Amino acid sequence: GYQRRVHGPTSIGKINHIAIAVPKSRDIRQQAEMYRTLFGATVSAPTDIPEHGVTTVFVEFANTKLELLHPFGDKSPIEAFLKKNADGGIHHICVEVDDIEAGIERAKALGLRTLSPKPKIGAHGKPVMFLHPKDVGGVLTEMELV
């Protein structure tokens, strides 16, 4: 369990965004427009991020964002998710941290696995680290430096 004592900062980050995978069969712009029309959300232009294999659109609400993810290129990392979830769906959640290295140390102290040895630069241009979904209640969880 998670009863181990972990030392270090105890900042509680807010949810930065919830990522939703959009299958190739759907137009990511139409998906974003649905949120704008239905909820009055602010919608960004689609941005291709070749190094991550995705096109992203951010849908901003007053208290959080949705990150729409669409496969980009032949080796998109969300392809495996979309093979299991053909209609798309929630891909991951992102929680803000004020110290990415301390967040990684805390996760490892709790026995949680990271998906890469070091943080990578995410869609917002900030360091991120993903935690293995099997260790976090079945939810792929991203920590993002704020």
Side-chain angles (χ1 to χ4, degrees):
Y2 298 107
Q3 303 296 326
R4 297 181 204 168
R5 181 162 299 285
V6 179
H7 298 284
T10 56
S11 70
I12 298 174
K14 69 177 188 173
I15 300 293
N16 180 280
H17 66 267
I18 300 167
I20 299 174
V22 178
K24 285 184 180 179
S25 61
R26 284 201 213 136
D27 183 333
I28 194 170
R29 287 182 175 97
Q30 287 180 341
Q31 186 80 21
E33 182 62 20
M34 184 270 306
Y35 288 108
R36 189 191 68 71
T37 302
L38 182 62
F39 299 114
T42 302
V43 175
S44 74
T47 302
D48 295 334
I49 307 176
E51 62 272 20
H52 291 282
V54 295
T55 298
T56 63
V57 172
F58 282 94
V59 179
E60 294 194 39
F61 296 90
N63 61 345
T64 195
K65 296 182 284 273
L66 298 180
E67 177 186 33
L68 304 182
L69 299 171
H70 203 252
F72 180 85
D74 295 334
K75 296 184 179 178
S76 176
I78 64 168
E79 284 293 345
F81 176 87
L82 288 169
K83 283 183 181 167
K84 294 177 188 172
N85 304 276
D87 293 329
I90 295 177
H91 182 262
H92 69 267
I93 64 167
C94 176
V95 178
E96 296 178 352
V97 296
D98 60 3
D99 183 334
I100 193 80
E101 295 298 334
I104 293 167
E105 286 178 33
R106 289 172 59 81
K108 289 182 177 181
L110 291 169
L112 308 178
R113 293 172 285 174
T114 59
L115 295 188
S116 61
K118 294 185 178 194
K120 297 180 179 183
I121 300 300
H124 292 117
K126 298 177 181 178
V128 301
M129 176 59 76
F130 283 90
L131 302 176
H132 199 292
K134 288 185 178 179
D135 298 342
V136 194
V139 178
L140 181 60
T141 302
E142 176 184 21
M143 294 186 292
E144 179 178 80
L145 180 65
V146 291

